[in-house]
Amino acid sequence: MASKKEEEVSAIRLEEFHKHPLSPVKDVKKTYTVEEAVEAIGFGRFHILLFLIMGSTSVVEAMEIMLLAVVSPVIRCEWHLEDWMVALVTTMVFFGYMMCSALLGHLADRYGRWKIIFICFIWGVYFSLLTSFSPTYGWFVFMRTMVGCGVSGHAQGYIIKTEFVPSKYRGYMLPMSAIFWLIGSTFIIIFASVIIPVLGWRWLIRISIVPSIVLIVLFKFIPESARYNVSAGNGAAAIKTLEKIARMNRSSLPEGTLEEPYWENRGSFRDLIDPKYLRTTLQIWLIWFGTSFAYYGIILTSSELLERNLVCGAQETAAETVVVADEIRNPCHCQLFGPSDYKAMIISTVGEITLIPLNILGINVIGRRLSLAITMFLTGVFYLLLNICTGNSGLIALLFILRSLASANFNTIYIYTAEVYPTTVRAFGMGSCSSLSRIGGMIAPFIAQVLIAQSVIGGLTLFAVVCFLCSLSAFTLPIETKGRALKQVT
């Protein structure tokens, strides 16, 4: 039988236990991460809104890039430009893109994805509007370079989408972004066919900034990335965002509290070249270069082949004779697009969405690496097929397929890059890849608009060889991201 003193001690201990619960309560305390919250909330109305608004950033980017293809013949005539001067416009746009992509990615990892994309859209609208008032070729090139800097920040919209979409839906939803690129490309071609003959290229640029202005207003409906907020130590903002998304999706957060560490060292270049990621980083840099080189190459090549009527390699000699004769009368090859040319560009542009179902199937069944290796290889094959002598219909068909393959390459490498890097360096990783890719975009105009004018076979073969090298690089990537959760830290 316990003594009176022992009973008093037991009573005190019991009272203290009720006041300060010990390990039994502490041990069962539930916590969750942002990844677990995103998966628990699931896919719903918020993600549809996110897809429509952030996906529309691709509409603006496509309009800015395709603008160069439809305006080139006009400024060539207005300012009597030589081939290299026309190519320099596109090159300088990508130079601005290259110079700013990595910097903006670093800033996005440090200060937030939403802030960067918002500032970049305002920047892009401002300099695009100024472009329409360019008095000379030099001012035009400078203003478009500044626009390229702004457009480079649009990748943050893709990062925000990736960080909010549950893992099992990323392989389906993210490739659908190609639809927005198609919309933007088609819009600018249609606008050009209507506006340039009547009002000129300056009004085309002014009208093309309207979607950007609309998106600046709509950005307020999309919050900052919750993954970024927790990495920056702002857990309260992350919880508020996740709760809002859960209400919109008529879902709920996991039980417990959000617990993830704060990482001050975000957006570090050392993380990209860490032994864990060094090989992956080097290989995807090559793939990004080749993807951009091939994609913008086909856009500009299609413009040149249509403008100069170089429908096949077998007709190259005849075409060169026509060009030489034309140079005597008009050294700048002043030949504007006609209705049939705009129609051909639209048809080839529509090709960008034709492979989306197969692209989605490949990404989710055979994985990101193998899917990318196959589409890059086929891109090279169809570049070589452009050398086959064919009529205008055959050329359009080949351009149609090439655009679809080039678009599939971009879809896959975007998804892979966003998934392979952790949150603390994801935006910087994407930015560095975008910077490297723009070197390909800078070189492409000189191949598509200068070299092809001298040798169609030589130019197309060079594009094909780069695609084959990228296919090999994709096939040997050390990490497969299919079905993998987004990592928060390295």
Side-chain angles (χ1 to χ4, degrees):
M1 194 174 192
S3 67
K4 186 175 181 181
K5 187 175 181 180
E6 288 174 337
E7 289 177 353
E8 288 176 354
V9 171
S10 298
I12 292 172
R13 287 178 177 172
L14 183 62
E15 183 179 356
E16 287 296 316
F17 174 83
H18 287 299
K19 287 182 179 178
H20 306 286
L22 299 178
S23 57
V25 176
K26 219 169 190 180
D27 289 342
V28 297
K29 180 182 178 182
K30 294 184 178 179
T31 63
Y32 62 88
T33 63
V34 176
E35 176 71 22
E36 291 167 341
V38 168
E39 297 297 329
I41 292 171
F43 188 88
R45 291 187 297 176
F46 168 78
H47 296 92
I48 296 174
L49 182 66
L50 174 72
F51 182 73
L52 292 175
I53 294 178
M54 286 303 175
S56 294
T57 60
S58 295
V59 173
V60 173
E61 185 173 355
M63 292 180 72
E64 294 291 359
I65 298 301
M66 284 300 297
L67 180 70
L68 302 174
V70 296
V71 167
S72 290
V74 188
I75 63 171
R76 187 199 298 268
C77 294
E78 181 171 329
W79 287 316
H80 307 289
L81 305 179
E82 298 180 20
D83 288 339
W84 70 268
M85 298 174 75
V86 176
L88 183 63
V89 176
T90 305
T91 296
M92 291 306 295
V93 170
F94 289 130
F95 176 77
Y97 205 126
M98 180 192 71
M99 293 300 294
C100 295
S101 285
L103 173 62
L104 292 173
H106 171 73
L107 293 176
D109 279 328
R110 295 290 299 178
Y111 304 108
R113 288 82 159 102
W114 191 94
K115 296 183 185 72
I116 295 302
I117 193 171
F118 184 78
I119 292 171
C120 286
F121 261 77
I122 294 176
W123 176 284
V125 167
Y126 177 71
F127 281 102
S128 192
L129 181 61
L130 289 183
T131 302
S132 68
F133 295 98
S134 300
T136 63
Y137 167 76
W139 277 108
F140 183 87
V141 172
F142 173 75
M143 294 302 176
R144 295 313 294 178
T145 303
M146 294 297 100
V147 171
C149 288
V151 171
S152 67
H154 293 191
Q156 300 312 314
Y158 195 91
I159 294 292
I160 291 176
K161 283 190 297 181
T162 302
E163 293 184 336
F164 274 127
V165 175
S167 59
K168 70 177 182 179
Y169 293 99
R170 287 200 300 267
Y172 297 94
M173 295 303 298
L174 297 182
M176 297 293 288
S177 299
I179 294 175
F180 294 100
W181 187 277
L182 167 68
I183 293 171
S185 300
T186 305
F187 275 1
I188 200 66
I189 295 171
I190 293 174
F191 289 165
S193 66
V194 175
I195 296 170
I196 289 179
V198 180
L199 300 175
W201 62 269
R202 297 177 187 273
W203 274 104
L204 173 64
I205 293 177
R206 292 163 193 163
I207 293 173
S208 70
I209 67 175
V210 173
S212 295
I213 296 173
V214 173
L215 276 179
I216 289 173
V217 176
L218 294 178
F219 281 155
K220 67 179 182 180
F221 295 106
I222 301 300
E224 177 59 86
S225 166
R227 293 179 191 269
Y228 162 77
N229 278 329
V230 295
S231 70
N234 194 357
I239 293 174
K240 184 178 179 180
T241 295
L242 293 171
E243 288 175 343
K244 178 181 177 181
I245 296 173
R247 287 194 300 270
M248 287 187 66
N249 286 6
R250 297 175 182 174
S251 183
S252 60
L253 295 176
E255 293 183 14
T257 58
L258 176 64
E259 284 194 9
E260 286 201 29
Y262 161 67
W263 292 88
E264 185 175 355
N265 186 28
R266 303 186 307 278
S268 172
F269 180 73
R270 285 180 298 180
D271 290 337
L272 291 184
I273 58 174
D274 182 272
K276 186 187 300 183
Y277 291 107
L278 178 59
R279 178 182 165 188
T280 300
T281 295
L282 294 177
Q283 287 187 229
I284 62 176
W285 277 353
L286 172 62
I287 297 170
W288 272 89
F289 168 86
T291 300
S292 178
F293 182 67
Y295 181 81
Y296 295 113
I298 193 56
I299 289 177
L300 297 172
T301 296
S302 62
S303 174
E304 287 297 303
L305 294 179
L306 292 169
E307 182 185 355
R308 301 192 181 198
N309 198 30
L310 298 175
V311 296
C312 66
Q315 292 179 343
E316 186 173 348
T317 303
E320 287 176 351
T321 303
V322 173
V323 169
V324 170
D326 184 61
E327 282 181 340
I328 298 175
R329 297 189 301 271
N330 193 344
C332 73
H333 309 303
C334 185
Q335 184 176 345
L336 301 181
F337 286 146
S340 61
D341 296 321
Y342 286 119
K343 180 180 178 181
M345 291 181 71
I346 291 176
I347 292 174
S348 66
T349 300
V350 171
E352 293 201 7
I353 66 168
T354 56
L355 282 186
I356 287 181
L358 289 177
N359 192 205
I360 291 175
L361 182 64
I363 287 172
N364 290 283
V365 175
I366 64 176
R368 281 59 160 151
R369 293 181 301 182
L370 185 55
S371 178
L372 181 58
I374 292 173
T375 55
M376 284 298 303
F377 180 80
L378 291 176
T379 303
V381 170
F382 276 88
Y383 257 115
L384 292 178
L385 290 178
L386 281 178
N387 288 297
I388 298 175
C389 187
T390 182
N392 194 58
S393 298
L395 173 65
I396 293 173
L398 290 174
L399 293 176
F400 183 92
I401 297 173
L402 257 175
R403 284 291 288 269
S404 64
L405 289 168
S407 178
N409 295 333
F410 254 128
N411 288 339
T412 310
I413 193 58
Y414 258 112
I415 294 173
Y416 183 85
T417 305
E419 291 179 336
V420 78
Y421 290 121
T423 300
T424 53
V425 75
R426 184 171 294 120
F428 183 54
M430 183 71 80
S432 68
C433 290
S434 293
S435 289
L436 267 294
S437 77
R438 302 314 152 181
I439 297 177
M442 291 167 63
I443 297 174
F446 288 94
I447 307 303
Q449 296 176 312
V450 179
L451 178 59
I452 281 183
Q454 306 301 319
S455 172
V456 174
I457 294 177
L460 296 177
T461 301
L462 182 57
F463 281 120
V465 169
V466 171
C467 290
F468 293 144
L469 291 175
C470 291
S471 175
L472 178 62
S473 180
F475 185 75
T476 57
L477 280 168
I479 301 174
E480 173 58 70
T481 64
K482 187 187 81 166
R484 195 178 79 156
L486 293 184
K487 296 182 67 176
Q488 188 69 10
V489 297
T490 54

